[in-house]
Every structure is written in C-alpha cells, then in structure tokens.
Amino acid sequence: MLWMLILALFFGVLFLLANTKLSLHIWLALLTISDFLLIGAGLNMTIGSILFVLIALAFLLLGFDEIRKSRVSSPILTYIRKVLPPMSQTERDAVEAGTVWWDAELFQGNPDWDILLKTPKAQLSSEEQAFLDGPVNELCAMLNDWQINHELRDLPPEVWHYIRSHGFFAMIIPKSYGGLEFSAYAHACVIQKIASRSGAAAVTVMVPNSLGPAELLMAYGTEEQKNHYLPRLAAGDEVPCFALTGPDAGSDAGSIPDTGIVCNIEFEGEQRLGLRLNWEKRYITLGPIATVLGLAFHAYDPDHLLGDQEDLGITCALVPTDFPGIEIGARHDPLNIAFLNGPNRGVDVIIPLDWVIGGEKMIGKGWRMLVERLSIGRGISLPSLSAAAGKMACDTTGAYARLRKQFRTSIGNFEGVEEALARIGGLTYMMDATVRLTTSALDQGEKPAVLTAIAKRYLTESMRVVINDAMDVHGGRGICLGPSNYLGRTYQSIPVAITVEGANILTRSMMVFGQGAMRCHPYLQQEIEAASLEDRDEALLRFDAALMSHVGYTIANAARAVLYGLSGALFASSPVAGPTATYYRQIARYSAAMAAMADLALLTLGGALKRKESISGRFADAMAYLYLTSAVLKRYEDEGRCRADLPLVHWSCQFALYQVQQALDGIIRNFPLRPVAWKMRAWAFPLGVHRKPPGDRLTHQVASMLIEPSAARERLVDGIYNPEDKDDLTGCLHHAMALTIQVEPIEKQLRTAGFIYTPETTYAAWIETAVTAEKISREEADLLLAAKEAVRKAIMVDDFAGDLWSK
C-alpha cells in the first residue's frame, strides 16, 4: 500500500510539475499534504519528519520575499556578476539580430505544435511556376558544366546575357523597382534547379539574391539610394558584390581592420562630410566583374565631426568599382569551380557620407544589418544548393544502381549499396523538408537567425555525406572527370559550401547554441540585463523576479523530461494520430531534456560554457536535429500524408532522433562537473540510452524507392532539371534505366530457360542465337540490344588525348 502510494504521488507530482503552473505556496502546501498522507500510510515517522522540515525550510527561504532576496537571490546575483563574460557590442548585435520562432519552442522544452503545423505550406505562385518552367529551364538547357568549369573557366557570354536580361539577379527586388519580387521558397526552387545543372551558375545567381547590396538597400537604404540602384540592379545594368571578408577578418568579422575615417571632403564641387576608406578584401564572389561594391568597414571619427564618439562601429557603404583608388584584383580559383571570385582593395578612397547604406543615421549599425540580413540568405542559398545535390544524387545514383549489374544482379540490390542508397534518400528528404519549412517561415516575415544557421550548417554537412555515398556507389564512374561526369564537380565543390556564409565548425560550436540560448531562453536575457545594472537594489529586484520564474521553468522541464523518459514519452502529447505520432512525442521528450540540461550547464559553467565548444556544439546538434525532425513531419502533413513516403519519413526521423540522443549523451559523458552530469543523466535518460538508428528493413525500403520508378521517387527528386533527351548528360541515364527495367523480365525468361550469356561470343551474336532458338522474339532481341547499348553509354567514362594535360 505504501509503495503504491509513493509511486502514485511521485508520478502525480511529476505530471503536475510538467503540465501546470502553480504558485510556490500551493506547491509547498501540496507537498505538505503528501507528506502527511505518506505518514498515515505507514511511512517511518523520522523520515516523514525530515521531509516536513525540508518543506518548512524551503518555505522559509523561498516563501518570504526579503529572506529569499537576501539568502538566495543576492548570492546568486553576486556569482552571476562574477562569472558573466563581458559582451561586446558586436556580440550583442549578433544575439539581438533576427527573430525567434520554432527554435524557441524547441529550446524551451514544451513545443506548441500549432505554431509548426499552422505555418503555411511552402508553394509557388503561378507566376513563379511559370518562371521555373520557362526561363529557368531555358537557362539550364544552355548550361554545359564541363565547358564552364574546364574549358571556359567562366559562364559563356550568352549565359551571362541571359541571366542579366531575364531578371535572375532581381528575384528579391520588388516589382515597383523592376524586380521579380519572388518568395523565399521560389528563390530556393530556382537555385535548386540551376544547381542541378551547374554549381557555378547557381552560385552566380544566388549571391546577388542573398547577402548583397539589393538585400541591404531594401531593408535599410534611403529612398534616393533605392531609386537609383534597385532598378539598375533589377535590369542587370549593375552587377553587385559584397565585400566583407579580408585576410585578417574571416569568421571574426566584427574585428574588421578596414577603416573609414570621417573627414571634410570636396565632392562634385561641394564641401561636405565624407569618409576616407582603406580596405583589403578577398573571397568576394562576383568581385572580378562587379560594377557596384557593397563594403563593410570600421568607421572612426577622430576629429569629432559627427559627435563625441570616436569609434562609430561597423558600417556598410555602396561604392562604384570604377571609383578612384579602388583596385579590383585577379581571380581566386575555388577548387576549380568557375564562379567568379576574387580580391579587391582600396587606398584612400574618398566617398560622401550619403553613400553609407541608409545614410548618416546608419553609420555604426552595419554589423546589425549584416547579421540580420545574412540570417535570411543563409537559410535559402546553400541549403537549396544542398537539397539540389541530394536530389541529383538520388536520381542519378538510384538509376545507376539499377542499371549497373555485377554477378547478374543490379548493384542496388546489394545490402552494402542499400545502406548508401538509404542515406542518400533519407537525408535528401530531410534536406528538402528543411528548405521548405525554413523558406515558409521567411515568407511569413520571420528572420530566424538560429534556424537559418542550422539549415546552412546541417544541410551542407548532409550534402557531404550524400555525395560521398553517391561517389562510393558510382566507383570509377564518379571519379573520372569529363563531359559525361554528372557527379565529380559537385563532389569537388563541397568544401566551398562548407566554408562560405559562416564556416561550419564555428557555426556549430559558437552560433547555434550560443545565439539560441540567448535568444530562445525565456529568462536568461532578463537575468543578464538585471545583473548588468549598476544600481544593486534595482538589479536585485529584477534579478529575483526573473530567477524565480527561471527556477519554475527549469523544474517543469526537468519533471517533463523525467516523466517522458520513464514512460517512453507516452505522456507527451501528439497533434496527430497514426504512424508519425511517436516522433512528435519523442521531440517533446528530447526538447524538455535539452532545455533542462542547458539550464544546468549555464548555471554551473557560466561564461566558461562559451569556451567549451565541444559541449556547446553537442547542444547545437541536439537542437538542429530536433528542427530537422520537425521539418520532416511538417512536410509529411503538407503533402497529404502520402503513405508511400512513410519509409522516407521513418528513416529521416529515426536517424535525426538518434543524433539527438547521441548529442545529449555526449554532453553528459563529457561534462566536466560529474555530479551535474549525473543529474543530467537522471533527467534525460532515467532508464538508460536505448534509441537505435534506422534498421536494415527500413534501409531496404528506402533504397528500393531509389531504384524503382514511382510517384514517391518523383516527389523526392522533384525540382531538379530533368531533360527527356536521351543524349543529354543525365537523360541517357534515365533512358538506360527505363530500358533496363523493361528488359529484366526477358533476361529472367532466358535464365529460366538455361540460356545464359558467356563472353565466348559477342552479346549481339548470343542474342541472334536466342532468336534462332526461338527463346525470344525479334522485338525482344532488339529491345535487349538497345538496352545493352544504352547501359554502355550511361556507364562509360571520358578519356582524353595526352595533350590535355599541357593545357
């Protein structure tokens, strides 16, 4: 009886803590009543008395405001002030940039599913679809990736003209300025289709529509600047670039050494205030041909011409590249991928203040501008490029694995190859789902800096896995570059995507969790702001209020994590029924565990957590894969719960949730304060670590989808350029796959009849023998010969004369 009551009270308290918000006094009263119930049921009087004393002590310390402030809040405030690291203005701008959205729900441990599921489905307007079906397809048909990267080392002149004259640089510019004014999702779809044909062309198109002068002008520019530049950018009369990175300022862009000194100048015959600019930049895409340069520099006012402040901060300006003092350097060669990229520098370049984007009032606000707008482009460009690579890998590798035979069996049926095919299919489904959810949020006006950083980092890393697997399946077919290689250049260019728009190592270890903790936590910023106040009394008052709310928040998440961990997440709610309900519950479970663990880590490590990059990186992994799982579930709902897609959904969710488990377990195993780690384990994994990655049966189901034509396969690869021409680079592969499937029953018929080909004669002669022996018809023989020829064409690699290497 006693143990049953103890268990009932234990789970009852956990349930109430996890799901209700009661005042401290009510909680202490409930605990007191529970104590008396236990004593009445036979609990040892000494133990019951100890429990009562502990409850009374808690009431004494926490129930009276003045006692709580002096004995609890004040010592903690002193500790926080001691360990709180100084925050530079650059860091503050980064933290405050953008908005929080679904990332806050995941970070706070109790996601509201309505926020996710009521987000509109990402879809194209009729105008956007027409652009994809018309100009984008026409552009793709013009692109020859071997010619671009190997022969010309540039886009052909006619391609440059087509891109500029058909608005490819104007996708984000409003129609009122002559632009296309496309949605973020349409922007992503355009990049995906072009990238499936040529990575160099995709980068050329995506950069002006990502972080560039147009993006900054629309958000911050003066009316005069908008009216002058946006129509010219939309028409392709101006080619933009943005110069941020330099030799001494890469990922630490806030430490830009490039300067702009406020001074008196003469410009166009007038005396006015201006800036003397000196800079050196590199890695600037479109830099070698840009006509207008967006420039980030550090502004100073040593003569106090603008006010008392000398250090004005990071500033952005627009400068014509033919302006005196500007030197446009030669080209970089980013891994033999022929998009235009190069250095530039300026020596004593004198510009008026009204060339600062947004005018004089925006001097010093450039870092905030960059971080906020980069958070938008970061969620579109490289994630879309990654999804395109995944779709191309699914399409080509699935087809190749079906038509390429060893031991008279398609290699796609070998279990070792199936493992690679399943990763390709599952990760591609997850990548595309993430692009859809992220761009939908952007189209609703969100600027989720944390989620776009997740999309960039984790999708480019997923692309790396997918393309590596595709290369493994293709073997020698993948490593020999030439006009017929549809995979090698993508493999070659992966480090470019990994590096740009924020290097992945630092994005994971510093941005995702660091920015996420500050922006998404409901009380952390309040506590930090209170601790930063000079007035001790005001600081204590505000800190105490935030602290008490924080304590209740942490207890609720810990209780939720334990309750869900003990019950296998059965007590967690799911907004849907059916085969995906378990994944919603698991997201809720791991979200609560991550939130509670993050609070413990922040409390015990304080500012030192900033330097524990492996720990913060694992928190980033957990948060990222919770987001990716959410995207998969949202896509499944948006597409009408197609049952044929369930293998992809199951594989993606099981893979991602396994990564979450491993990340949280890695935090616990490596956390430097072991007693804290033990508490984390009790909260997150009260019954141990048991989740497994996708199994062999599911792996087989996903792999089979890639080697068999179906509506589900078409949905998986939808959005890439797929010409019907059997002489095209990938068209010949599709043709060979179709013929291979068509002749497989004929080949089986011959094997059953004991009529098996051996290399003692030619294949054509063997077919004639089969016709003569009336094993097959003439029509079947012609089909077999056509399939043989098509497969040979699809699997052959290029060879070159010896003088190739002298070029």
Side-chain angles (χ1 to χ4, degrees), residues 133-189:
D133 294 339
V136 178
N137 277 346
E138 291 174 20
L139 174 62
C140 288
M142 299 169 67
L143 298 174
N144 181 319
D145 204 46
W146 174 254
Q147 178 194 48
I148 291 168
N149 288 296
H150 181 74
E151 297 173 358
L152 298 178
R153 304 291 298 140
D154 193 0
L155 302 180
E158 62 272 18
V159 170
W160 273 112
H161 176 74
Y162 193 88
I163 287 173
R164 295 170 70 169
S165 62
H166 283 77
F168 282 88
F169 287 169
M171 287 190 287
I172 65 171
I173 297 176
K175 292 180 180 179
S176 58
Y177 295 102
L180 298 177
E181 200 172 338
F182 279 175
S183 65
Y185 180 58
H187 179 184
C189 291

Side-chain angles (χ1 to χ4, degrees), residues 276-300:
R276 178 182 290 106
L277 302 175
N278 286 276
W279 76 86
E280 182 182 11
K281 304 290 187 179
R282 62 181 181 182
Y283 309 148
I284 310 305
T285 300
L286 295 187
I289 63 162
T291 61
V292 59
L293 175 71
L295 180 69
F297 57 91
H298 204 129
Y300 296 93

